[in-house]
Amino acid sequence: MSITAAQVKQLRDMTGAGMMDCKAALAETNGDMEAAVDWLRAKGIAKADKKAGRTAAEGLVGVAGDATSAVVVEVNSETDFVARAESFQEIVRNVAQVALAVGGETEAVANAKYPGTDKTVTQAIKDAVGTIGENLSFRRSAKLSVGAGAVATYVHNAVAENLGKLGVLVAIETAGNADAARAFARQVAMHVAATNPLALTAEQIDPAAVARERAIFTEQARESGKPDNIIEKMVEGRLRKFYEEVVLLKQSFVLNPDITVEAALKEAEKEIGAPAKITGFIRFALGEGIEREESDFAAEVAAAVKK
């Protein structure tokens, strides 16, 4: 039988499921509305889509790697309680392995096959909502690779192996000893976790951010009443300090604050046995940039009483 748009809309209003899911449900049940609702519930689709409006800002960051590459992924849940469940942790581990296999680009990972199924990562996570009972989402992933050398991973405050609230990758290119390079790269990853640098080098900082800092420093310097040539020197001095604070290679190394990360790399070359270069870093902090819903508990109770 043919399914009408009105039927699809009615089922969508009843369940909150997506239009295509509603159409499929009606087709599977020959247009029987009640049976279609049950079909959606059995698939976990109605439950999942009803929960899709909730903010998923908890969850886990996961890492995975091989000899010359590594990935970091973020999968979100609504509560930390779910993030500590083995079923959710297994999802994050699997997504990290998919990312490692397909290159780490977020859209490619989302559309790749989830291990052990014929579903995409996006669909598999959507299906898991029905069993786990919370809104879940795969948010992002990234990958670093080197031709020769190592990419180290670090998870801060891990809740399980390679899973936690903050994950970092650091890549070092070198023709020297890869194990020594990885050991130093892991130290740098710990440093990145602690300091959250904006960029690897000064040249990589967003020019708009530099211009904004320069304008602020110039305004501050003018308040001193000093001549323009002195003001310019003051501004340049403050910009150098700014770079020392936000550029990874210029920062004081957390494990030895007497030297910069750049100098620490030169020291590490003795163990590595060849010139080495930090080629990139990635830092994922769980939920950064997600606007979390603020719950007014008193208002919720008042609204419930009125029902």
Side-chain angles (χ1 to χ4, degrees):
M1 63 174 293
S2 61
I3 305 301
T4 67
Q7 286 175 298
V8 173
K9 182 180 185 304
Q10 182 183 351
L11 183 58
R12 189 178 185 185
D13 290 343
M14 290 170 66
T15 64
M19 183 174 65
M20 296 309 295
D21 289 328
C22 290
K23 188 174 181 180
L26 288 163
E28 286 290 329
T29 58
N30 294 317
D32 186 319
M33 196 65 63
E34 193 168 318
V37 171
D38 290 342
W39 188 89
L40 287 168
R41 290 183 63 193
K43 297 288 186 182
I45 295 172
K47 188 174 183 180
D49 284 344
K50 280 184 175 180
K51 291 177 180 290
R54 297 186 186 174
T55 302
E58 294 293 340
L60 288 171
V61 170
V63 300
D66 55 30
T68 56
S69 60
V71 294
V72 56
V73 304
E74 180 179 351
V75 182
N76 298 123
S77 62
E78 291 179 46
T79 67
D80 182 62
F81 177 78
V82 161
R84 292 179 178 276
E86 176 57 34
S87 57
F88 180 78
Q89 292 177 6
E90 186 65 18
I91 290 172
V92 183
R93 290 190 192 97
N94 284 336
V95 172
Q97 289 301 321
V98 171
L100 190 61
V102 303
E105 198 274 326
T106 300
E107 186 174 353
V109 175
N111 294 321
K113 289 291 176 61
Y114 187 81
T117 76
D118 59 357
K119 300 173 182 176
T120 66
V121 166
T122 297
Q123 186 60 53
I125 290 176
K126 183 178 180 182
D127 289 351
V129 174
T131 55
I132 290 178
E134 283 193 7
N135 185 28
L136 310 175
S137 64
F138 163 56
R139 185 183 181 204
R140 55 180 174 160
S141 62
K143 184 176 184 179
L144 286 180
S145 299
V146 293
V151 182
T153 64
Y154 172 68
V155 174
H156 186 63
N157 288 341
V159 299
E161 186 176 6
N162 293 330
L163 301 174
K165 303 294 186 183
L166 192 156
V168 180
L169 310 179
V170 171
I172 291 185
E173 278 191 354
T174 180
N177 185 286
D179 289 338
R182 183 172 287 103
F184 179 70
R186 180 172 168 81
Q187 291 183 341
V188 177
M190 295 170 67
H191 170 98
V192 170
T195 63
N196 192 18
L198 292 181
L200 177 62
T201 66
E203 292 73 25
Q204 292 176 0
I205 295 181
D206 182 356
V210 176
R212 185 166 57 251
E213 294 299 319
R214 181 182 290 277
I216 292 170
F217 294 152
T218 300
E219 190 62 33
Q220 291 172 343
R222 279 182 179 148
E223 291 179 2
S224 68
K226 292 183 169 56
D228 287 348
N229 63 324
I230 301 298
I231 287 174
E232 183 60 28
K233 290 179 180 178
M234 292 171 66
V235 170
E236 291 304 317
R238 290 178 183 178
L239 275 175
R240 281 194 299 272
K241 182 66 175 174
F242 168 69
Y243 289 138
E244 289 169 6
E245 292 173 351
V246 302
V247 172
L248 175 58
L249 292 176
K250 302 286 187 185
Q251 289 178 326
S252 295
F253 192 35
V254 167
L255 276 65
N256 181 2
D258 292 334
I259 60 174
T260 64
V261 172
E262 192 169 29
L265 176 62
K266 286 297 179 186
E267 288 289 317
E269 287 179 348
K270 297 173 185 175
E271 289 291 325
I272 296 170
K277 179 182 179 182
I278 299 173
T279 56
F281 71 90
I282 297 170
R283 181 184 189 273
F284 276 12
L286 179 69
E288 60 189 350
I290 296 177
E291 290 188 13
R292 300 174 187 241
E293 293 177 351
E294 296 298 328
S295 171
D296 185 338
F297 184 69
E300 287 180 10
V301 172
V305 170
K306 292 177 182 177
K307 290 181 179 179

